[in-house]
Amino acid sequence: MSDEEPQEEVWTFGGSRVSSDGKRVHAWIDPNGVPLLYAAKGTYAIGSLYKVKVLRKGERTTRYGEPQYTGERTSEEFREGLWAEHKAAEATLALKAKERADKRDDPIEDAIDKLAYLISTVPVSQRTNLRAYVISRLMKASK
């Protein structure tokens, strides 16, 4: 294969995977059966074959342009395995997303936000007294 210009190869789309930093990437399986991971862009059919323009330089494989669907797919057995890996990755990514959402769901911050809103609804001339009341209540609760 030329090191100067991209060549066309037929790759199999392998679905989503989880990168080492916990992000979604797409797996593409090259003609040698080597899975290559790329940024998740586009929507492709798992187990289907695509014409891909690639440039190989040593250990590095660079993909160019949009993969083109060939209308063919791999064997059912191989395709089923790819789907299983994809589903496992999707479940892991969903769990990580839920954990991130749970980390953002801070009950203390929610309570402070609600209290700040309520204080803002009180006339300016009475806010100092309301703040003093809130601090007094918090101090009593910490005894």
Side-chain angles (χ1 to χ4, degrees):
M1 176 169 295
S2 169
D3 284 342
E4 300 303 317
E5 60 183 74
Q7 302 294 312
E8 189 172 272
E9 295 181 2
V10 176
W11 287 7
T12 304
F13 180 64
S16 295
R17 298 295 184 276
V18 182
S19 69
S20 59
D21 61 352
K23 294 189 169 45
R24 178 185 322 277
V25 291
H26 280 166
W28 288 90
I29 293 67
D30 77 5
N32 300 316
V34 176
L36 304 167
L37 302 178
Y38 292 91
K41 294 180 183 172
T43 57
Y44 305 97
I46 297 169
S48 292
L49 303 177
Y50 291 83
K51 292 179 186 174
V52 181
K53 296 243 184 211
V54 298
L55 182 61
R56 294 181 184 266
K57 288 188 177 183
E59 296 292 313
R60 186 174 178 89
T61 303
T62 305
R63 195 184 78 194
Y64 290 91
E66 285 294 313
Q68 300 300 309
Y69 179 62
T70 66
E72 297 176 35
R73 64 185 194 189
T74 63
S75 71
E76 279 305 305
E77 184 178 351
F78 187 59
R79 190 168 175 262
E80 288 167 358
L82 293 174
W83 268 103
E85 290 182 73
H86 169 77
K87 290 295 186 180
E90 288 292 317
T92 298
L93 291 163
L95 191 59
K96 287 181 179 295
K98 184 171 177 10
E99 180 183 27
R100 285 191 303 274
D102 284 350
K103 287 178 181 176
R104 287 189 302 266
D105 186 22
D106 182 341
I108 298 295
E109 287 300 317
D110 291 345
I112 291 171
D113 288 345
K114 184 174 183 179
L115 189 56
Y117 168 74
L118 291 172
I119 289 173
S120 74
T121 65
V122 171
V124 175
S125 62
Q126 296 175 9
R127 288 183 190 168
T128 300
N129 290 334
L130 182 55
R131 288 184 195 114
Y133 170 76
V134 168
I135 291 170
S136 172
R137 285 292 309 270
L138 292 172
M139 295 301 288
K140 283 181 186 178
S142 64
K143 289 183 181 181

